[in-house]
Amino acid sequence: GAVVSQHPSWVICKSGTSVKIECRSLDFQATTMFWYRQFPKQSLMLMATSNEGSKATYEQGVEKDKFLINHASLTLSTLTVTSAHPEDSSFYICSAIRAGRGTATNEKLFFGSGTQLSVL
Amino acid sequence: AQKITQTQPGMFVQEKEAVTLDCTYDTSDPSYGLFWYKQPSSGEMIFLIYQGSYDQQNATEGRYSLNFQKARKSANLVISASQLGDSAMYFCAMREAPGAGSYQLTFGKGTKLSVIP
């Protein structure tokens, strides 16, 4: 089955620093990746859609300058939380669609294992 | 309005018993897909089952089955013969009619299932 690797699995950082989270599709090419944020005991909220070779599409209310997304290759997307603050502490999870798949509604997403970010 | 509604924040089930997790959805698109994902305490999202809006039969995957009632816009997940390892958060999700880049899923708030020995 398709595997998505997300790294790091957890990170603690000081307020004001930047943190980079990587999302890799290990055995398939991913034209599109998604970044979600999840607060404790809540659902996943889509932050942005990342397309290889183009700018990410951000959901309403998500700060583009704070959450930088780069999808430089078909197997890697990165989310950088810039100048992190305690309110950015959350669980971030990525997902990917295999390249070449049609836009059928049954194309399922493959998820990374998530990154727990704690900003002190 | 919420597109996916899961009304049960938490559920308990005895080991080896069956349990139904509720999910209702709202869409005006004739073509859509419904998904269930399991999220253990480790955080990963595990795909369980898929139901397409045009599928004539209810989807089944091992111990998981989806009770799809299109007219009621409900897609309840049934887990048979519950196991301790089934304890997790369960999310219902929907993808509406495909369009350019329209792969994204809309998730419900989830139901925390606890299996009791």
Side-chain angles (χ1 to χ4, degrees), chain B:
Chain B
Q2 283 191 346
K3 289 197 171 184
I4 297 287
T5 303
Q6 293 180 255
T7 57
Q8 306 152 315
M11 288 281 287
F12 289 89
V13 63
Q14 201 77 37
E15 192 177 7
K16 300 181 183 179
E17 296 292 312
V19 63
T20 298
L21 306 184
D22 295 341
C23 173
T24 58
Y25 59 92
D26 182 28
T27 181
S28 57
D29 283 317
S31 176
Y32 53 90
L34 297 159
F35 300 76
W36 277 92
Y37 285 87
K38 172 184 177 181
Q39 187 180 40
S41 56
S42 57
E44 63 197 289
M45 293 289 282
I46 303 168
F47 167 76
L48 295 179
I49 197 166
Y50 166 82
Q51 180 82 44
S53 59
Y54 294 121
D55 292 345
Q56 296 295 316
Q57 294 186 328
N58 287 345
T60 60
E61 290 282 349
R63 293 187 300 112
Y64 305 107
S65 60
L66 203 150
N67 184 0
F68 181 46
Q69 298 188 42
K70 196 170 182 176
R72 294 185 177 183
K73 292 188 176 179
S74 75
N76 299 339
L77 176 71
V78 180
I79 305 174
S80 62
S82 297
Q83 301 172 356
L84 296 178
D86 294 334
S87 295
M89 281 290 289
Y90 288 80
F91 291 97
C92 180
M94 176 174 66
R95 175 181 296 139
E96 293 172 279
S102 173
Y103 297 106
Q104 63 196 54
L105 294 176
T106 303
F107 286 89
K109 292 186 176 181
T111 296
K112 183 175 176 60
L113 177 66
S114 299
V115 180
I116 305 167

